Amino acid sequence: MLPWDAEMAGQLHRETIGSTLLRGNPLGDPHERPIWVYTPPEYSARPGTRWPAVYVIQGYTGHLSMWANRSAYKQPFPETADAVFASGEAPGCIVVYVDAWTAYGGSQFVDSPGTGPYHSYLVDEVVPWVDARYRTLAQPASRAISGKSSGGFGAMITPMLRPDVFGALATHAGDALYEYAYVPEFAKAVRYLRAYDGDIFRWWEDFRSRPAFSAEGDGTLLILLGCAACFSADPDGTVRLPFDPVTGELVPERWQRWLDWDPVRMVDRYADALRSQRAIWIDAGTRDEWYLDVGATAFRAGLTRIGVPDDRVHFELFNSGHAGIDYRYPQALTWLAHRLER
Amino acid sequence: MLPWDAEMAGQLHRETIGSTLLRGNPLGDPHERPIWVYTPPEYSARPGTRWPAVYVIQGYTGHLSMWANRSAYKQPFPETADAVFASGEAPGCIVVYVDAWTAYGGSQFVDSPGTGPYHSYLVDEVVPWVDARYRTLAQPASRAISGKSSGGFGAMITPMLRPDVFGALATHAGDALYEYAYVPEFAKAVRYLRAYDGDIFRWWEDFRSRPAFSAEGDGTLLILLGCAACFSADPDGTVRLPFDPVTGELVPERWQRWLDWDPVRMVDRYADALRSQRAIWIDAGTRDEWYLDVGATAFRAGLTRIGVPDDRVHFELFNSGHAGIDYRYPQALTWLAHRLER
Amino acid sequence: MLPWDAEMAGQLHRETIGSTLLRGNPLGDPHERPIWVYTPPEYSARPGTRWPAVYVIQGYTGHLSMWANRSAYKQPFPETADAVFASGEAPGCIVVYVDAWTAYGGSQFVDSPGTGPYHSYLVDEVVPWVDARYRTLAQPASRAISGKSSGGFGAMITPMLRPDVFGALATHAGDALYEYAYVPEFAKAVRYLRAYDGDIFRWWEDFRSRPAFSAEGDGTLLILLGCAACFSADPDGTVRLPFDPVTGELVPERWQRWLDWDPVRMVDRYADALRSQRAIWIDAGTRDEWYLDVGATAFRAGLTRIGVPDDRVHFELFNSGHAGIDYRYPQALTWLAHRLER
Amino acid sequence: MLPWDAEMAGQLHRETIGSTLLRGNPLGDPHERPIWVYTPPEYSARPGTRWPAVYVIQGYTGHLSMWANRSAYKQPFPETADAVFASGEAPGCIVVYVDAWTAYGGSQFVDSPGTGPYHSYLVDEVVPWVDARYRTLAQPASRAISGKSSGGFGAMITPMLRPDVFGALATHAGDALYEYAYVPEFAKAVRYLRAYDGDIFRWWEDFRSRPAFSAEGDGTLLILLGCAACFSADPDGTVRLPFDPVTGELVPERWQRWLDWDPVRMVDRYADALRSQRAIWIDAGTRDEWYLDVGATAFRAGLTRIGVPDDRVHFELFNSGHAGIDYRYPQALTWLAHRLER
């Protein structure tokens, strides 16, 4: 393997999708979005064959182009994904790389008056668009979604909301159990916001005016602003934090809106949808900085509680923090590829 | 100042108090307790004078004898306390050092079937014992309580529960806003307990069998075990954790019992008691590892909300973590000494 | 700015250069190397004009393709570089992105029997290749080199060794003062190597057999292996560590070979070369994890000592660690662009 | 075990020793020093018996009184030492707790014009004083010295310098291999001194004027100031740092004076003295913040190199950092007690 580039056995089609739903979204983000569709090695050689599809989404502050980023001694996921098909380790799949970036760094793949209808965009626009242009097996049993971190969150909730669209999922260190993943961040945010009189929009203005992430609190504040836009915006789009930015006290009704989006707490409400999934991959590093290993454990326990059979679930904690776990993606992809109906 | 010892201007009386209430306590801790009573420089020279009293309590894992610990370039609090009186910086007070240690490292100064009636011991046994033996001004307006960390917590809640006993307080980095102070510890505990099948009593057995604090999680698990014994024990003394030790999920009714002891959440319930205080000192380091600066800010805001006049409150955040803030104690003592009725 | 891509005002030419010198290099790395040459906005419109050239090199584990990596709220350097020319902030330059990757993650831009003649490749092959194909001003006064970390090191030493080629430089957190930058890493390496019986090649074998950087010591051991290959290899290419991997004791003659490559210690030996430079930019973050701010300060002081006039030097420490300082590159580029002869 | 106090089986005699050598020492420290001498359980019952003696010294910033400090779930060393004799685990010894505090926090147990003749004080005044007053076996084969950190350093060098006095030693995480233990501290010091124009005495003045250790760099700067006073003071007592406080560059001749005191580098010079020792205990935590586990390994390897027989050496690395390892002291004491001649 040379570090600079690689030839793939399959083909990566870099396209643009024009969304109707995202038109006029509240943050002024483009409604024309990049999308990459990967077709496996034998795709053109077997013109009569239809293929399962795995949708891949990014984590917070991730956007589509970052899938092409290269680093030392590692290949980007599109190449490691290609490799599992090229080697025969996994039966061929179409892999769809979806962009749901917003000006705040992400959409959490939900519909929100604070950011836009990114959930609907994904299930009602992207999926049909792909099915119309590529030879997919257009049914939930042959359609999976996977991601890491906020992408893992999206991979958990999307099939819960729309089991008629997705029938399998993989979550790597997906956001869950918000008291551990988010609450400590609120306390940090209170500290960082002391320099901004407790006004996160004064921070946002500052952030946009200087090199990004050059101040210590930038990462924390950005994700909180973004999640508040996704989870607790007013109907008119006004973003509301789930805590008092000066005293740190939780604002119960807003915090409850966040908790309503906690995958662990959603399990019982969406039990049927989860029981309809063919394959659920859950993993996380045992030293995850957001305790997402604990969240993964609770989500796994929830599946047992509602009666998801053990043979449909892969659960694994491994020795790692939150970063540097991209080598897990092709493992989950392989596992899914074997379980999707074809 | 020499590092080895110091002569004090006042006198420290090291005594033992026999408690009736602590007899037969659930952890088998002694009911005979050490107690130190400091009398100020002019105490013997002015036999007709009565003095205000400041009660001083320890933080978690602190016990009475530790007040005598020496270190480099610092004097123990009994000496720095003596110094403010000797120098005339503060008018003389009696200072009472109370022990409320338990086998789990602390009592949180509450009455609990898990540890014993340490709150009642303090207000109903120690205070009368002191008043009977020393020339105190035996009234709440002349009686304060102060402490750091769990001791700061005790200093906040004791006057709330018993404004008929205490009329002033000082809390240094006192436990408050439990979602920030405790919740992240629960997630860490889940990790540490993986090696003990989620059973904190298996850890406890292990802890008692080897050098204390030689395993990474010891500090975290000890304080959680102790606080669970204080806050969420069953009536028969059985200790219950406020979270599932395997999945991390909060157990709502137990967690609520903890929250009922959150000073920030107690403010409204004990508004009259707080409004009756003559002097309330609140401080914390801006980098406190348990976010107790945020808790302090919320507690302070609560006082404003219920109408405690500003001139009775000293609030200060200073650049520090949780440790090494003992130099604040004599500052608060001086401030209190000037405000207690005499 | 959209996060996914950008149009540039100038042009980036992605080419391949065939090296004679790198043929048969000891690590079996390719002798055909990618190279990018950027020509500024007016390059084609002014066919009679020749331009200064700034050579840009990567830090350790950096390879050419990584310049294209995208991230949130930031543009890659080729785009921010383009922007300073497009906006008129800086007069146009040719910018040459050079690859000197090796199997060990880097070459330190030196000639070594352990890795290959990367210094000679850069000055004797890349520079003439560029001058032959692009309208450069082919003289040291119009040629600069810049980089960060190991790239900053390369930017310091290359003009010292070859002032006949380079007449200006910019170093961002460049390796210097090896007792602080490297020595602590040796101690860490001793610990990490305990699991490999002190044999770094057993670690290397392990590293190549599993996901890269999935073990804690990977980053430390990789850079030490690589630097040993660059600085203290035997004439036959055998790599020798500058310390005993079991006891940590320095091996004086090997450690001296490293110190001979310490830019701070090279200043006096290469005083004439340094005095010949038109422009020297030095910066580093005050919290640099390798203490390269201290190294930068010592290098700066060395320039004063040997009589480099102050007006040729830009020195700046800024509040940052080692990472996330790419926003400094266009600032240095602008500064150099104004000082190169044209 | 109760946390507040303990009864000992033996007796601890708290005395004062008047030193002639320390009179007029350069830092104005007292020449009257506290000293504690412990006599084992059967000492008075067997008036005709003489006992081996183990001298115990403190680490940096440690002074005699700190041996009495109490903490949670642990007993002070004088009590755990007593316990090994009381239980019969070890044959009885006299244990001598020596104070060598200075205004800079320590003396490193050397003779220096910067602090005073603390080495001579220990071997030429304290030892004879003890032998004159207590029934010791007054010979090196029956005399050991032990300590942790700087105390471990003292325990290594004192028998090297004076094998006629000490015939056994125990070092817990003793200072060694100064390139790892000290050099990184120099880089930190450069940063901390930026606020003091590079003048450590301006920091010292500041340190003495405010709560000790309330600024981040206090610990680092104090130990460097103190060690410079011990290792690289001028003959007239002027303290010289071994590095340029602005650029960080080592000052070779001064740094060499420090290295001359590196136990690892002293091994060959003092080979005879080391070969004369009956028992050498060496341990350290594998995560020691000053890499003293690496230093311990190198010191151990040095003993092998000079031919110290393996059966006289106990070497152990254990999972720990630098702090919280006091539970090791009674283990080493027991081991020494069995090996001292009686």
Side-chain angles (χ1 to χ4, degrees):
Chain A
M1 173 190 61
L2 294 182
W4 307 292
D5 49 33
E7 280 196 24
M8 304 212 316
Q11 252 193 301
L12 193 66
H13 310 265
R14 302 181 182 226
E15 310 212 32
T16 298
I17 174 171
S19 164
T20 306
L21 287 166
L22 295 184
R23 230 175 242 279
N25 64 71
L27 298 178
D29 288 309
H31 66 277
E32 307 244 316
R33 289 298 173 105
I35 183 167
W36 296 352
V37 183
Y38 166 88
T39 50
E42 300 143 27
Y43 187 80
S44 11
R46 291 164 50 188
T49 307
R50 293 194 159 269
W51 309 78
V54 179
Y55 285 72
V56 174
I57 52 183
Q58 279 278 17
Y60 215 82
T61 69
H63 54 68
L64 194 75
S65 303
M66 290 166 63
W67 287 116
N69 285 356
R70 307 198 72 83
S71 66
Y73 304 103
K74 292 183 178 186
Q75 287 173 278
F77 178 47
E79 294 177 15
T80 58
D82 176 68
V84 301
F85 301 126
S87 67
E89 218 177 313
C93 290
I94 285 169
V95 184
V96 185
Y97 298 88
V98 181
D99 188 89
W101 169 264
T102 75
Y104 289 155
S107 68
Q108 297 301 82
F109 313 98
V110 301
D111 290 346
S112 164
T115 51
Y118 284 88
H119 166 70
S120 299
Y121 163 67
L122 171 54
V123 293
D124 294 332
E125 292 192 325
V126 174
V127 170
W129 184 95
V130 170
D131 287 340
R133 280 159 187 78
Y134 292 88
R135 295 195 313 277
T136 56
L137 290 157
Q139 54 184 17
S142 307
R143 205 183 279 119
I145 183 165
S146 77
K148 179 205 158 186
S149 196
S150 285
F153 167 76
M156 283 185 275
I157 63 156
T158 308
M160 283 201 248
L161 298 171
R162 295 295 297 273
D164 60 312
V165 178
F166 288 102
L169 71 93
T171 168
H172 305 284
D175 304 352
L177 226 45
Y178 287 2
E179 49 272 69
Y180 302 136
Y182 284 124
V183 164
E185 304 299 304
F186 298 168
K188 292 175 201 163
V190 167
R191 289 178 176 171
Y192 295 133
L193 289 176
R194 283 174 188 153
Y196 300 94
D197 287 336
D199 183 347
I200 199 165
F201 285 100
R202 284 192 46 198
W203 164 80
W204 175 243
E205 208 176 326
D206 177 41
F207 176 75
R208 301 305 287 140
S209 73
R210 53 171 172 79
F213 305 109
S214 57
E216 200 198 345
D218 285 353
T220 291
L221 293 173
L222 178 67
I223 200 165
L224 292 190
L225 176 58
C227 286
C230 296
F231 294 154
S232 52
D234 283 348
D236 69 356
T238 307
V239 177
R240 302 290 181 189
L241 292 178
F243 57 95
D244 182 311
V246 173
T247 68
E249 288 167 289
L250 295 173
V251 180
E253 60 279 12
R254 293 184 198 155
W255 175 228
Q256 187 57 50
R257 293 183 64 192
W258 284 51
L259 291 176
D260 289 344
W261 280 113
D262 182 345
V264 171
R265 289 167 166 91
M266 292 169 74
V267 164
D268 293 287
R269 265 185 293 143
Y270 295 93
D272 284 340
L274 286 165
R275 280 188 294 257
S276 80
Q277 301 296 303
R278 304 171 67 82
I280 301 179
W281 172 290
I282 306 161
D283 69 15
T286 50
R287 299 177 276 113
D288 189 284
E289 287 80 356
W290 287 271
Y291 304 111
L292 298 176
D293 52 326
V294 181
T297 304
F299 185 67
R300 173 67 188 91
L303 298 184
T304 299
R305 189 177 62 241
I306 62 167
V308 173
D310 279 359
D311 61 2
R312 295 199 206 149
V313 180
H314 176 93
F315 175 73
E316 193 180 351
L317 300 187
F318 52 97
N319 180 16
S320 177
H322 194 68
I325 63 174
D326 41 296
Y327 72 91
R328 313 280 312 173
Y329 306 168
Q331 299 178 15
L333 178 64
T334 301
W335 188 84
L336 289 173
H338 282 287
R339 275 153 190 84
L340 290 171
E341 196 172 294
R342 61 180 75 225
Chain B
M1 173 189 62
L2 294 182
W4 308 292
D5 48 34
E7 280 195 24
M8 304 212 315
Q11 251 194 298
L12 193 66
H13 310 266
R14 301 181 182 226
E15 309 211 33
T16 298
I17 173 170
S19 164
T20 306
L21 288 166
L22 295 185
R23 231 176 241 281
N25 66 71
L27 298 177
D29 287 309
H31 66 277
E32 306 245 315
R33 288 298 173 106
I35 183 167
W36 296 352
V37 183
Y38 166 88
T39 50
E42 299 143 26
Y43 187 79
S44 10
R46 292 166 47 189
T49 307
R50 294 195 158 268
W51 310 77
V54 179
Y55 286 72
V56 174
I57 52 182
Q58 280 277 17
Y60 215 82
T61 71
H63 54 68
L64 193 74
S65 303
M66 291 166 64
W67 286 117
N69 286 355
R70 307 197 72 81
S71 67
Y73 303 102
K74 291 183 179 187
Q75 288 173 275
F77 178 46
E79 294 177 15
T80 58
D82 176 68
V84 300
F85 301 125
S87 68
E89 219 177 312
C93 290
I94 287 169
V95 183
V96 184
Y97 299 88
V98 182
D99 188 89
W101 168 265
T102 74
Y104 290 155
S107 68
Q108 297 300 82
F109 313 98
V110 301
D111 291 344
S112 165
T115 50
Y118 285 88
H119 167 68
S120 299
Y121 162 68
L122 171 55
V123 293
D124 294 331
E125 291 190 327
V126 173
V127 171
W129 185 96
V130 170
D131 286 341
R133 280 160 186 77
Y134 292 87
R135 296 195 312 277
T136 56
L137 289 159
Q139 55 184 16
S142 305
R143 206 183 278 118
I145 182 165
S146 78
K148 179 205 159 187
S149 196
S150 286
F153 167 76
M156 283 185 276
I157 62 156
T158 307
M160 283 201 249
L161 298 171
R162 295 294 297 273
D164 59 312
V165 179
F166 289 102
L169 70 93
T171 168
H172 306 283
D175 304 353
L177 227 45
Y178 287 3
E179 49 273 69
Y180 303 136
Y182 285 125
V183 162
E185 303 300 303
F186 298 168
K188 292 175 200 162
V190 167
R191 289 178 175 171
Y192 295 133
L193 289 175
R194 283 173 187 154
Y196 301 94
D197 286 335
D199 183 348
I200 198 166
F201 285 100
R202 283 191 48 197
W203 163 79
W204 176 243
E205 208 176 327
D206 177 40
F207 176 74
R208 301 305 287 141
S209 73
R210 54 171 171 77
F213 305 110
S214 57
E216 201 197 344
D218 285 353
T220 291
L221 293 173
L222 178 67
I223 200 164
L224 292 189
L225 176 58
C227 286
C230 297
F231 294 153
S232 54
D234 284 350
D236 69 356
T238 307
V239 177
R240 304 287 182 193
L241 292 177
F243 58 95
D244 181 311
V246 173
T247 68
E249 288 167 289
L250 294 173
V251 180
E253 60 279 11
R254 292 184 199 156
W255 176 229
Q256 187 57 51
R257 292 183 63 193
W258 285 51
L259 291 177
D260 289 345
W261 280 114
D262 182 345
V264 171
R265 288 167 167 92
M266 291 170 75
V267 163
D268 293 288
R269 265 185 291 143
Y270 295 92
D272 284 340
L274 286 165
R275 280 187 294 255
S276 79
Q277 302 295 303
R278 305 171 68 81
I280 301 178
W281 173 290
I282 305 162
D283 68 15
T286 49
R287 299 176 276 113
D288 189 284
E289 287 79 357
W290 286 271
Y291 303 111
L292 298 177
D293 52 327
V294 181
T297 304
F299 186 67
R300 174 67 187 92
L303 297 184
T304 299
R305 189 177 62 240
I306 62 167
V308 173
D310 279 359
D311 60 4
R312 295 200 206 150
V313 180
H314 176 93
F315 175 73
E316 193 180 349
L317 300 185
F318 52 97
N319 180 16
S320 177
H322 194 69
I325 64 174
D326 41 296
Y327 72 91
R328 312 282 311 174
Y329 306 169
Q331 298 177 15
L333 177 64
T334 301
W335 189 84
L336 289 173
H338 281 288
R339 277 154 188 81
L340 289 172
E341 196 171 296
R342 62 181 73 222
Chain C
M1 173 189 62
L2 293 182
W4 308 292
D5 48 32
E7 280 194 25
M8 303 211 319
Q11 252 193 301
L12 192 67
H13 310 265
R14 301 180 182 228
E15 309 211 33
T16 298
I17 174 171
S19 164
T20 306
L21 288 165
L22 295 185
R23 232 177 241 278
N25 65 71
L27 298 178
D29 287 309
H31 66 275
E32 306 244 315
R33 288 299 173 105
I35 184 169
W36 297 352
V37 182
Y38 166 88
T39 50
E42 298 143 27
Y43 187 80
S44 12
R46 292 164 49 188
T49 307
R50 294 195 159 268
W51 310 78
V54 180
Y55 286 72
V56 175
I57 52 182
Q58 280 277 16
Y60 215 83
T61 71
H63 55 67
L64 193 75
S65 302
M66 289 166 66
W67 287 117
N69 286 356
R70 307 197 73 82
S71 66
Y73 303 103
K74 291 184 178 187
Q75 287 173 278
F77 179 46
E79 294 177 16
T80 58
D82 176 68
V84 300
F85 301 125
S87 67
E89 219 176 312
C93 291
I94 287 169
V95 184
V96 184
Y97 299 88
V98 181
D99 188 272
W101 169 265
T102 75
Y104 289 155
S107 68
Q108 298 300 82
F109 313 97
V110 301
D111 290 345
S112 165
T115 51
Y118 285 88
H119 167 69
S120 299
Y121 163 67
L122 172 55
V123 292
D124 294 332
E125 291 191 326
V126 173
V127 171
W129 185 95
V130 170
D131 287 340
R133 280 160 186 79
Y134 292 88
R135 296 195 312 275
T136 57
L137 289 157
Q139 55 184 16
S142 306
R143 206 183 279 119
I145 183 164
S146 78
K148 180 205 157 186
S149 196
S150 286
F153 167 75
M156 283 185 277
I157 62 156
T158 308
M160 284 201 250
L161 298 171
R162 295 294 297 273
D164 59 313
V165 179
F166 288 103
L169 70 94
T171 167
H172 305 283
D175 303 352
L177 228 44
Y178 287 2
E179 50 272 69
Y180 304 135
Y182 285 125
V183 163
E185 303 300 304
F186 298 168
K188 292 175 200 164
V190 167
R191 289 177 175 172
Y192 295 134
L193 290 176
R194 284 173 187 154
Y196 301 94
D197 286 336
D199 182 348
I200 199 166
F201 285 99
R202 282 191 48 198
W203 164 79
W204 176 244
E205 206 177 327
D206 177 41
F207 175 75
R208 301 305 287 139
S209 74
R210 54 172 171 77
F213 305 110
S214 57
E216 201 196 345
D218 286 352
T220 291
L221 293 173
L222 178 67
I223 199 163
L224 292 190
L225 175 58
C227 286
C230 296
F231 295 153
S232 53
D234 284 349
D236 69 356
T238 307
V239 177
R240 304 288 182 191
L241 292 178
F243 58 95
D244 182 310
V246 172
T247 69
E249 287 166 290
L250 295 173
V251 179
E253 60 279 12
R254 292 184 198 156
W255 176 229
Q256 187 56 51
R257 293 183 62 192
W258 284 51
L259 291 176
D260 289 345
W261 279 113
D262 181 346
V264 171
R265 289 167 166 91
M266 292 171 74
V267 163
D268 293 288
R269 265 185 292 142
Y270 295 93
D272 284 340
L274 285 166
R275 280 187 295 255
S276 80
Q277 301 295 302
R278 307 171 65 81
I280 301 180
W281 173 290
I282 306 163
D283 68 15
T286 49
R287 298 177 276 114
D288 189 285
E289 287 80 357
W290 287 272
Y291 303 110
L292 298 177
D293 52 327
V294 181
T297 304
F299 186 67
R300 174 66 187 92
L303 298 184
T304 299
R305 188 177 61 242
I306 61 166
V308 173
D310 278 359
D311 61 2
R312 294 199 207 150
V313 180
H314 176 93
F315 175 74
E316 193 180 350
L317 300 187
F318 52 96
N319 180 17
S320 178
H322 194 69
I325 64 174
D326 41 296
Y327 72 90
R328 312 282 311 176
Y329 306 168
Q331 299 177 16
L333 178 64
T334 301
W335 189 84
L336 289 173
H338 282 287
R339 276 152 190 83
L340 291 171
E341 194 170 296
R342 63 181 72 225
Chain D
M1 172 189 64
L2 294 183
W4 307 291
D5 48 33
E7 280 194 24
M8 304 212 316
Q11 253 193 299
L12 192 67
H13 310 264
R14 300 181 183 226
E15 310 211 33
T16 298
I17 175 171
S19 164
T20 306
L21 288 166
L22 296 184
R23 232 176 240 280
N25 65 70
L27 298 178
D29 287 309
H31 66 276
E32 305 244 317
R33 288 299 172 108
I35 183 168
W36 296 352
V37 183
Y38 166 88
T39 50
E42 299 142 28
Y43 187 79
S44 9
R46 292 165 49 189
T49 307
R50 294 195 160 269
W51 309 78
V54 179
Y55 286 72
V56 174
I57 52 183
Q58 280 278 16
Y60 214 82
T61 70
H63 54 68
L64 193 75
S65 301
M66 290 166 64
W67 287 117
N69 285 355
R70 307 197 72 82
S71 67
Y73 303 102
K74 292 183 177 185
Q75 287 173 278
F77 179 45
E79 294 177 16
T80 58
D82 175 68
V84 301
F85 301 125
S87 67
E89 220 176 312
C93 290
I94 287 168
V95 183
V96 184
Y97 299 88
V98 181
D99 189 89
W101 168 265
T102 74
Y104 290 155
S107 67
Q108 297 300 81
F109 313 97
V110 302
D111 291 344
S112 165
T115 52
Y118 284 88
H119 167 68
S120 300
Y121 163 67
L122 171 54
V123 292
D124 294 332
E125 291 191 325
V126 173
V127 171
W129 185 95
V130 170
D131 287 341
R133 281 160 185 77
Y134 292 88
R135 297 198 309 279
T136 57
L137 290 157
Q139 56 184 14
S142 306
R143 207 183 279 118
I145 182 165
S146 78
K148 180 206 157 186
S149 197
S150 287
F153 167 75
M156 284 185 276
I157 62 156
T158 308
M160 284 201 249
L161 298 171
R162 295 296 296 273
D164 59 314
V165 178
F166 288 103
L169 71 93
T171 167
H172 305 284
D175 303 353
L177 226 45
Y178 287 2
E179 50 273 68
Y180 303 137
Y182 284 125
V183 163
E185 304 300 304
F186 298 168
K188 292 174 201 164
V190 167
R191 288 177 176 173
Y192 295 133
L193 289 175
R194 282 173 189 155
Y196 300 94
D197 286 336
D199 183 347
I200 199 166
F201 286 100
R202 281 191 49 197
W203 163 79
W204 175 244
E205 206 176 328
D206 177 40
F207 176 74
R208 301 305 287 141
S209 74
R210 53 171 171 79
F213 304 110
S214 56
E216 201 196 344
D218 286 351
T220 291
L221 293 173
L222 179 67
I223 200 165
L224 293 189
L225 176 57
C227 287
C230 297
F231 295 153
S232 52
D234 283 351
D236 69 355
T238 307
V239 177
R240 302 289 181 193
L241 292 177
F243 58 95
D244 181 311
V246 172
T247 68
E249 288 167 290
L250 295 173
V251 180
E253 60 280 11
R254 293 183 199 158
W255 175 229
Q256 187 57 50
R257 293 183 63 192
W258 284 51
L259 291 176
D260 289 344
W261 280 113
D262 181 346
V264 170
R265 289 168 166 90
M266 291 170 74
V267 163
D268 293 287
R269 266 186 291 143
Y270 295 93
D272 285 339
L274 285 166
R275 279 187 294 255
S276 80
Q277 302 294 303
R278 305 171 67 81
I280 301 178
W281 172 290
I282 305 161
D283 68 15
T286 49
R287 298 176 276 113
D288 189 284
E289 286 80 357
W290 287 271
Y291 303 111
L292 298 177
D293 53 325
V294 181
T297 305
F299 185 67
R300 173 67 189 91
L303 298 184
T304 299
R305 187 178 63 242
I306 61 166
V308 174
D310 278 358
D311 60 4
R312 296 200 206 149
V313 180
H314 176 92
F315 175 74
E316 193 181 350
L317 300 185
F318 52 97
N319 180 16
S320 179
H322 194 68
I325 63 175
D326 41 297
Y327 72 90
R328 312 282 310 175
Y329 305 169
Q331 299 177 16
L333 179 63
T334 301
W335 188 84
L336 289 173
H338 282 288
R339 276 153 189 83
L340 290 172
E341 195 171 294
R342 61 182 73 223

